[in-house]
Amino acid sequence: MNLAVVLVSPKTPGNVGAAARAMLNMGASDLRIVAPRCDYLDPQAVAMAVHAADLLRGARVYATLREALADRDLSVGTSARIRADLPAPRHPGQLRPLVRGAAAPALVFGPEETGLINSDLEQCQVTVRIPTGDYASLNLAQAVLLVCYEFLQGVDEVPEHTRKTATREEMEATYGHLREVMHLIGYTDAVRARHTLRLWRSLLDRAQMSSGESRLFRGLLRQVQWKVGSVGVTPVSGPDFGSELDPVQEEDGPANH
Ligand code: SAH
């Protein structure tokens, strides 16, 4: 399975090495590190990786989570805590069908002390929480081991790649576009925008749009921008509009010129 493990700002080299080992144990190989706070090739990391030293050396480093997720079609966040203002985390087993069905899923893990911040979790369509006793915070590498175990066990027995979903890059661009239009038409304001967009992200992420469908949706947004006179807007008949998904065109819209 083409599963990526993303570590956001890890601090301890030993944890990164142990996470690499856990990945190799479970059959994952794509390690991505966002804004590391340590030298992830420190001798301590290599020692903890043991036979996974090559996997560790092959890790790719990104400046932002958004870049690390750009080519993925599903991002699963992890959290030790339940956050009052975000959708409740799910049990890893509940998400297995979703992860198995994705072509390019990513699992996102947070920094040792704080975990993922809300703006990271907002970039994940779903969040998992490993059930624990009262002390909920697992060691980073142990969390990687358990979550990978849930998704990678018996991977050969179950068919995967059942659908072709838009990448996170396409969806983030769609959400940025949606935010612009919401402001343009006064649907939301600076104070409520974040909450409003979270609700729309949750709704639209559930749809698991294809690339063509995300272009279809953005075509509608562009038409709104054009209609209310936003400057510099290319009308819906623009070159990147999915021709296989032509919308019903308006009588006097720019698409008919
Ligand atoms: N104190 C932080 C925990 C950080 S532990 C907090 O309360 O969120 C470092 C990372 O390990 C977390 O960001 C998460 O990715 C993972 N992790 C730790 N415990 C977990 C759990 N019970 N379920 C899911 N992930 C967990």
Side-chain angles (χ1 to χ4, degrees):
M1 188 199 266
N2 171 18
L3 179 78
V5 168
V6 183
L7 305 182
V8 177
S9 286
K11 189 182 182 187
T12 312
N15 278 341
V16 183
R21 179 183 186 171
M23 288 173 64
L24 190 66
N25 286 147
M26 291 303 130
S29 57
D30 183 348
L31 175 59
R32 302 174 179 206
I33 307 176
V34 177
R37 288 177 294 159
C38 61
D39 173 12
Y40 68 96
L41 294 176
D42 182 276
Q44 217 191 343
V46 177
M48 290 300 279
V50 194
H51 291 289
D54 284 344
L55 190 159
L56 183 66
R57 285 189 202 98
R60 276 174 288 176
V61 176
Y62 299 83
T64 63
L65 178 59
R66 185 174 168 154
E67 290 162 82
L69 295 176
D71 67 335
R72 302 283 97 191
D73 67 346
L74 175 72
S75 66
V76 179
T78 57
S79 178
R81 279 175 295 141
I82 296 172
R83 326 252 177 148
D85 52 344
L86 287 170
R90 316 262 293 274
H91 185 282
Q94 282 181 309
L95 294 178
R96 196 179 296 126
L98 182 70
V99 176
R100 288 285 176 80
L107 304 176
V108 186
F109 296 86
E112 290 91 334
E113 315 90 314
T114 55
L116 294 169
I117 59 175
N118 283 354
S119 59
D120 293 335
L121 286 170
E122 282 169 5
Q123 293 178 59
C124 301
Q125 291 112 303
V126 284
T127 305
V128 285
R129 185 173 162 275
I130 300 158
T132 60
D134 289 344
Y135 180 34
S137 177
L138 273 81
N139 164 268
L140 175 61
Q142 291 176 347
V144 171
L145 180 73
L146 284 177
V147 180
C148 286
Y149 172 83
E150 281 286 351
F151 296 135
L152 289 163
Q153 280 302 297
V155 80
D156 299 333
E157 296 149 26
V158 182
E160 41 180 278
H161 294 221
T162 49
R163 57 190 168 75
K164 182 100 181 68
T165 316
T167 64
R168 296 317 295 162
E169 184 170 37
E170 289 168 315
M171 291 312 295
E172 287 300 332
T174 303
Y175 296 139
H177 197 168
L178 181 60
R179 189 191 310 112
E180 268 175 47
V181 170
M182 284 176 172
H183 284 301
L184 178 70
I185 63 176
Y187 178 79
T188 190
D189 55 38
V191 178
R192 291 177 308 147
R194 186 160 189 188
H195 177 70
T196 307
L197 203 71
R198 258 188 209 166
L199 298 174
W200 281 94
R201 274 176 176 273
S202 148
L203 170 71
L204 296 172
D205 272 342
R206 250 191 347 266
Q208 297 177 358
M209 292 184 195
S210 66
S211 298
E213 285 167 338
S214 76
R215 289 197 298 276
L216 173 74
F217 185 72
R218 294 190 66 180
L220 172 69
L221 296 177
R222 269 203 302 280
Q223 184 81 8
V224 172
Q225 288 174 307
W226 178 83
K227 194 79 181 180
V228 299
S230 168
V231 282
V233 174
T234 320
V236 291
S237 54
D240 69 338
F241 190 75
S243 57
E244 77 278 21
L245 291 165
D246 273 334
V248 178
Q249 291 176 352
E250 252 187 87
E251 285 293 279
D252 58 349
N256 277 347
H257 55 76

